[in-house]
Amino acid sequence: MQTRYIFITGGVVSSLGKGIASASLGALLQARGYKVRLRKLDPYLNVDPGTMSPYQHGEVYVTDDGAETDLDLGHYERFTGVASRQSDNITTGRIYSTVISRERHGDYLGATVQVIPHVTDAIKEFVLSDPGEAEFVLCEVGGTVGDIESLPFLEAIRQLGNELGRERTMYVHLTLVPYIPSAGELKTKPTQHSVKELLSVGIQPDALLARCDRPLPPGEKRKIALFCNVREDAVIPALDVDTIYQVPISYHEQGFDNVVVRHFGLDKEPAGQAEPNLGRWEHIAGRIRAPEGEVKIAVVGKYTHFLDSYKSLNEALIHGGIHNNVKVKLDWIESEIFESEGAIEKLEGVNGILVPGGFGERGSEGKIAAARFAREHKVPYFGICFGMQMAVIEVARHLAGIAKAGSTEFGPCEEPVVGLMTEWMRGNTRELRSADANVGGTMRLGAYDCALKPGSRVAEIYGQQQISERHRHRYEVNINYMKRLEEAGLTFSGMSPDKSLPEIVEFADHPWFIGVQFHPELKSKPFDTHPLFASFVQAAIAQSRLV
Ligand code: GLN
């Protein structure tokens, strides 16, 4: 089957959940037996989101091939199980830097380089590149229709509709149908305006996803169809749901997958199944709705009032709950508070403590205090990346007698138990860094193998001795301190294959105390919980029976 392209745009306001909508449509087509790929076109000028603050952008999602990408790629992967790649996320910054370097190279010699056709050609090249075996490529356009920034992307997808033909392209537009309490009505006007905006750049949507907080009455649906020139059954009400994992089911109930296959003429000669198999999603939603118990986990971090910064982590903990059939109640705590006297008591009564990835000195002492509390009170502790580094500093200071233990991330340090990584192996190639190198895209990024110590806790949890996990860090635990830390009770249970980089530490004299240098949350799926999250939540359940 030839690859077909579905473009998803958004209108009216941002934050309508275009990422989840795209991911859910991907899951739905997959449930009908089709192979899918999802891509994101981001209108900002950063080459990638790696240099943006979590407050600006939310989580940076890292792929196996080491790309720092938009967090929507995490949704795509969680909903479809298809591993995202560098080639699945492009930004205006990357497009322009490609076009400008081609210009300098002389590739356009003689021509005036312009948005149309040079920039739009580069965008189209990206959209069409490397579809692999995908029968459907779903392309989400970031931003909201009407923004200046997204115009070249809209122009490029408009051209693609012309070039590939309508039988190979489809435009889906996500809008908002707000309820106005004083009128007691759902209003369709913003949707009409948003579609008008899209029409002004030459795109006629084929289907509309109408976000609403209550059922869309047939009259309103007809009105949207009429004014927006969309078939009535292609106006899909996208009602608010209690869990994001319900979205594929609810889209199917509204007939969305039928509209899509009909658009491509696949209803007459289906290459997939006539009905999707949604068993997986029903099981997940069922477990979320009817858990058998509850555990309380404290997440001690820095960006806790902006939860998009911890998107994958939040989901992975939910997956741990699904796996163990419990509700995981999360207590997001700003680590800095533990730097004040007596505040640590806040952690009494929690069944698990997780210190996630992070950057910079602010709040680090609070994280060290949280790790200490977990170790001393035998509360399950999960340290991820920065959370592992802080736990190692904690053990160094309080058990190994290295009072001045610290990280060079915070400046010069007498006892650099955590230090800058300047050299490491990626397969057979040596990667080199220096303190004054560019910051964009230069961390240790992406999938690296790790060898687990036979008989260790983590080897038991993973059920294997060779694993591969995704990384995003610049600092590492300094192996020169390994011997002293081991004598203090810390086991180095996961190492890079050349044994130079500590990847996992665990504390044996404890119910569950594990620190990992990588980000396991990036690979967890609702239908395939990451083993560390499954095990951590299980340890929290065991702990909850003790309190
Ligand atoms: N700031 C730390 C480093 O660069 C940890 C990074 C992280 O937690 N992702 O090594």
Side-chain angles (χ1 to χ4, degrees), residues 1-239:
M1 191 174 115
Q2 260 187 328
T3 309
R4 282 144 164 100
Y5 294 85
I6 304 178
F7 300 106
I8 299 111
T9 54
V12 184
V13 290
S14 57
S15 305
L16 286 181
K18 232 183 315 140
I20 305 252
S22 308
S24 298
L25 177 58
L28 205 44
L29 290 169
Q30 209 181 37
R32 288 180 82 129
Y34 293 107
K35 295 194 184 69
V36 300
R37 270 218 90 72
L38 285 111
R39 294 205 153 139
K40 175 103 193 260
L41 309 169
D42 273 311
Y44 48 74
L45 282 170
N46 303 59
V47 169
D48 63 40
T51 53
M52 271 189 249
S53 146
Y55 294 117
Q56 285 279 320
H57 184 272
E59 167 185 274
V60 172
Y61 190 76
V62 180
T63 60
D64 279 332
D65 58 1
E68 295 177 282
T69 72
D70 186 74
L71 58 79
D72 280 326
L73 273 79
H75 292 310
Y76 305 162
E77 212 176 304
R78 281 188 286 279
F79 275 75
T80 64
V82 178
S84 303
R85 296 191 291 230
Q86 167 89 62
S87 57
D88 292 327
N89 191 197
I90 200 88
T91 67
T92 299
R94 192 178 290 277
I95 293 282
Y96 272 83
S97 81
T98 309
V99 170
I100 290 167
S101 71
R102 282 179 188 167
E103 185 275 329
R104 292 288 84 184
H105 188 244
D107 296 2
Y108 308 115
L109 221 51
T112 306
V113 183
Q114 292 178 302
V115 173
I116 305 173
H118 302 99
V119 168
T120 47
D121 279 354
I123 298 172
K124 289 193 289 183
E125 208 177 287
F126 159 72
V127 170
L128 299 176
S129 69
D130 180 30
E133 294 191 324
E135 291 157 308
F136 286 99
V137 170
L138 283 73
C139 244
E140 177 190 346
V141 182
T144 309
V145 168
D147 296 346
I148 292 176
E149 283 93 341
S150 46
L151 279 175
F153 289 122
L154 296 176
E155 169 58 17
I157 65 169
R158 180 198 69 76
Q159 292 177 16
L160 280 172
N162 241 349
E163 289 162 20
L164 299 172
R166 298 317 299 274
E167 60 290 355
R168 283 185 64 198
T169 49
M170 180 177 188
Y171 300 102
V172 175
H173 188 56
L174 177 70
T175 76
L176 176 70
V177 184
Y179 178 75
I180 305 296
S182 57
E185 282 177 1
L186 283 164
K187 290 297 188 187
T188 66
K189 194 72 81 188
T191 299
Q192 296 175 36
H193 281 293
S194 179
V195 170
K196 225 175 178 174
E197 196 75 51
L198 209 49
L199 282 168
S200 74
V201 293
I203 295 174
Q204 164 66 56
D206 301 299
L208 294 175
L209 282 171
R211 281 298 303 271
C212 42
D213 68 351
R214 61 203 67 212
L216 189 66
E220 261 60 42
K221 194 172 171 176
R222 260 198 307 278
K223 200 163 158 189
I224 295 177
L226 182 65
F227 283 93
C228 300
N229 194 24
V230 172
R231 285 173 69 155
E232 196 175 323
D233 60 2
V235 178
I236 309 292
L239 257 83

Side-chain angles (χ1 to χ4, degrees), residues 62 303 355-360 367 384-390 407 409-410 418-421 443-444 471-477 516-519 521:
V62 180
Y303 321 107
V355 177
F359 293 84
K367 293 175 189 177
I384 295 181
C385 205
F386 199 67
M388 169 212 194
Q389 297 173 357
M390 295 307 106
S407 167
E409 182 171 354
F410 315 144
V418 175
L420 182 72
M421 245 178 322
M443 283 191 246
R444 181 171 176 246
H471 296 67
R472 182 173 186 249
H473 63 125
R474 213 180 290 284
Y475 298 83
E476 56 155 348
V477 174
V516 296
Q517 187 55 77
F518 44 82
H519 290 274
E521 71 275 23

Side-chain angles (χ1 to χ4, degrees), residues 232-431:
E232 196 175 323
D233 60 2
V235 178
I236 309 292
L239 257 83
D240 292 353
V241 282
D242 54 352
T243 151
I244 54 170
Y245 299 123
Q246 172 69 25
V247 179
I249 304 172
S250 95
Y251 280 179
H252 173 63
E253 285 167 357
Q254 303 291 347
F256 192 21
D257 46 327
N258 284 330
V259 169
V260 174
V261 294
R262 187 187 62 201
H263 174 90
F264 291 110
L266 292 167
D267 48 340
K268 294 178 206 86
E269 316 158 45
Q273 299 142 213
E275 276 298 311
N277 179 357
L278 293 172
R280 161 188 281 188
W281 301 103
E282 273 145 15
H283 169 76
I284 293 164
R287 281 244 167 150
I288 291 177
R289 283 195 196 108
E292 277 168 7
E294 181 176 301
V295 289
K296 190 167 161 192
I297 288 173
V299 182
V300 181
K302 186 153 83 173
Y303 321 107
T304 50
H305 49 280
F306 186 54
L307 294 189
D308 264 4
S309 315
Y310 300 115
K311 201 84 212 171
S312 296
L313 179 71
N314 188 29
E315 294 306 318
L317 286 162
I318 292 174
H319 305 162
I322 295 171
H323 183 90
N324 290 288
N325 211 8
V326 291
K327 177 176 169 54
V328 176
K329 228 176 137 250
L330 297 178
D331 200 355
W332 299 92
I333 308 177
E334 182 75 28
S335 62
E336 244 179 330
I337 69 160
F338 296 132
E339 291 166 17
S340 326
E341 197 68 32
I344 204 77
E345 284 161 18
K346 249 190 172 307
L347 290 174
E348 273 162 21
V350 304
N351 311 126
I353 296 172
L354 191 150
V355 177
F359 293 84
E361 188 166 18
R362 182 170 70 77
S364 58
E365 288 301 324
K367 293 175 189 177
I368 293 169
R372 181 178 196 177
F373 179 93
R375 180 178 58 75
E376 289 178 346
H377 292 75
K378 303 219 182 293
V379 179
Y381 178 84
F382 195 178
I384 295 181
C385 205
F386 199 67
M388 169 212 194
Q389 297 173 357
M390 295 307 106
V392 171
I393 293 175
E394 190 281 309
V395 171
R397 285 189 195 165
H398 306 117
L399 289 180
I402 311 169
K404 296 204 165 131
S407 167
T408 57
E409 182 171 354
F410 315 144
C413 172
E414 247 177 76
E415 300 277 10
V417 170
V418 175
L420 182 72
M421 245 178 322
T422 50
E423 191 178 324
W424 67 89
M425 296 301 288
R426 175 161 209 118
N428 291 325
T429 40
R430 189 173 297 281
E431 300 262 353

Side-chain angles (χ1 to χ4, degrees), residues 465-482:
Q465 276 169 28
Q466 188 76 24
I467 58 162
S468 168
E469 293 281 2
R470 296 182 193 170
H471 296 67
R472 182 173 186 249
H473 63 125
R474 213 180 290 284
Y475 298 83
E476 56 155 348
V477 174
N478 184 343
I479 45 170
N480 297 331
Y481 288 92
M482 199 159 147

